[in-house]
């Protein structure tokens, strides 16, 4: 039987050579475009990380939380205990999860992605989303982003929710269906609107086109958005997905405005 060691050593040498070549090619890019903090743009050791000053300003949402709304409790309330929000106003979706509270550096990251073309942030934001939404991802069949109206998409050139959804799919292996739902109503920006105004603004704003129903019919959909504020947008989108045949809908966002933090007159609140 032939000795396999020479071939194994040859493969290892080739792999090391390729790795060294990749590192060498990466050096000019790191010198010309050094990695910066995802929050404040200070130089950091690697892309997508936060500096020592920004990291403490990021509030990760952790268990224990409401099993429906994903809002954190101060202490464990018992298995299946629901938040007042989930009891008083049950949502059309099954569960909602968010990675971080919408404040401080998380707000800067969302606004950087949404308004400053920082699409490079999406893969790193998605990593935290995958962590927070592990139970949703485990049961999902397909991922659908909250769509932009075509006029707004034309002006912005990208959909921040789709960028996050694409990154979540790359990390999780789930199927990505960016065209499964359309925004058929050009709505006002939600900034500055009260809760009731937000709900009215997005009422009947979404639709699943007939040709896309096959992508979601009878399937569990994971709906992706950047921020959960009052829930008006994801509620309207969930209803559209269910009318299109989705068996169930879960919601995963990067950030969440926690109950009690919403201020309609705060321009920084999306």
């Amino acid at each position: 039987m032939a000795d396999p060691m020479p071939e194994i050593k040859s493969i290892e040498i080739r792999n090391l050579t390729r790795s060294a070549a990749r590192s060498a090619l990466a050096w000019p890019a790191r010198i010309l475009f050094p990695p910066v903090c995802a929050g404040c743009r200070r130089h950091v050791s690697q892309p997508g990380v936060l500096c020592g000053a920004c990291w403490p300003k990021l509030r990760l949402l952790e268990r224990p939380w409401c099993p429906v709304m994903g809002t954190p409790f101060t202490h464990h309330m018992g298995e299946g205990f629901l938040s007042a929000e989930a009891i008083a106003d049950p949502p059309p979706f099954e569960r909602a999860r968010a990675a971080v509270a919408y404040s401080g550096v998380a707000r800067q990251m969302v606004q950087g992605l949404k308004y400053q073309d920082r699409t490079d942030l999406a893969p790193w934001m998605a990593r935290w989303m995958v962590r927070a939404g592990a139970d949703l991802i485990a049961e999902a069949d397909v991922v659908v982003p909250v769509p932009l109206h075509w006029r707004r998409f034309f002006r912005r050139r990208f959909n921040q929710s789709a960028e996050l959804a694409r990154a979540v799919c790359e990390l999780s292996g789930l199927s990505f269906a960016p065209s499964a739902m359309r925004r058929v109503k050009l709505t006002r920006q939600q900034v500055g609107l009260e809760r009731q105004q937000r709900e009215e603004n997005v009422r009947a704003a979404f639709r699943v086109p007939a040709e896309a129903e096959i992508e979601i019919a009878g399937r569990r959909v994971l709906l992706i958005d950047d921020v959960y504020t009052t829930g008006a947008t994801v509620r309207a989108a969930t209803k559209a997905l269910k009318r299109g045949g989705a068996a169930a809908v879960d919601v995963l966002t990067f950030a969440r405005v926690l109950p009690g933090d919403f201020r309609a007159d705060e321009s920084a609140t999306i």
Side-chain angles (χ1 to χ4, degrees):
M1 186 173 180
D3 183 3
M5 289 307 298
E7 183 177 351
I8 292 173
K9 290 178 180 178
S10 177
I11 292 171
E12 290 178 348
I13 291 170
R14 285 200 301 269
N15 288 340
L16 287 171
T17 302
R18 289 170 184 163
S19 178
R22 283 195 297 267
S23 298
L25 290 172
W27 269 108
R30 289 178 66 86
I31 293 171
L32 293 173
F33 307 103
V36 295
C37 171
C40 68
R41 310 297 297 273
R42 292 190 182 97
H43 288 175
V44 290
S45 59
Q46 56 185 316
V49 301
L50 296 173
C51 69
C54 285
W55 177 251
K57 300 175 184 176
L58 187 74
R59 180 185 173 185
L60 297 174
L61 299 184
E62 307 274 4
R63 289 183 173 85
W65 53 36
C66 170
V68 173
M69 303 305 300
T71 47
F73 295 135
T74 55
H75 58 278
H76 185 60
M77 306 294 286
E79 191 66 28
F81 188 90
L82 300 181
S83 62
E85 181 185 11
I87 296 171
D89 188 17
F93 50 80
E94 304 296 314
R95 298 168 293 179
R97 299 288 183 270
V100 297
Y102 185 65
S103 61
V105 68
R107 178 181 297 175
Q108 295 170 14
M109 293 175 72
V110 168
Q111 294 185 343
L113 171 63
K114 194 165 188 173
Y115 300 122
Q116 299 166 22
D117 296 346
R118 292 289 311 280
T119 54
D120 59 293
L121 294 177
W124 307 101
M125 295 163 74
R127 290 180 184 275
W128 288 321
M129 293 170 68
V130 167
R131 175 181 176 273
D135 51 343
L136 278 57
I137 289 170
E139 298 179 21
D141 296 312
V142 61
V143 174
V144 176
V146 171
L148 289 178
H149 189 271
W150 68 266
R151 291 185 182 176
R152 189 159 290 151
F153 181 85
F154 183 77
R155 290 197 300 270
R156 192 175 292 172
R157 303 186 306 278
F158 71 96
N159 176 6
Q160 73 281 353
S161 299
E163 294 298 317
L164 292 171
R166 183 181 293 106
V168 166
C169 288
E170 290 175 354
L171 293 168
S172 65
L174 288 172
S175 175
F176 182 41
S179 302
M181 181 168 53
R182 293 177 185 166
R183 199 171 195 132
V184 295
K185 175 183 172 184
L186 183 59
T187 55
R188 293 172 56 191
Q189 291 280 0
Q190 296 279 66
V191 177
L193 300 183
E194 298 285 351
R195 290 177 184 270
Q196 190 63 39
Q197 292 175 314
R198 285 172 178 251
E199 292 177 8
E200 186 60 36
N201 188 41
V202 293
R203 193 184 307 279
F206 304 101
R207 180 171 61 84
V208 175
E211 65 272 17
E213 290 181 1
I214 192 172
E215 296 188 82
I216 64 168
R219 309 180 79 185
R220 191 176 195 102
V221 175
L222 182 61
L223 180 65
I224 301 287
D225 204 2
D226 54 351
V227 182
Y228 186 114
T229 305
T230 64
T233 298
V234 294
R235 284 170 181 262
T238 295
K239 291 175 182 177
L241 288 167
K242 287 191 170 182
R243 285 194 297 269
V249 179
D250 291 316
V251 175
L252 179 60
T253 62
F254 171 68
R256 168 77 192 256
V257 177
L258 297 177
D261 289 348
F262 173 69
R263 300 290 184 273
D265 59 348
E266 184 180 352
S267 62
T269 301
I270 294 175

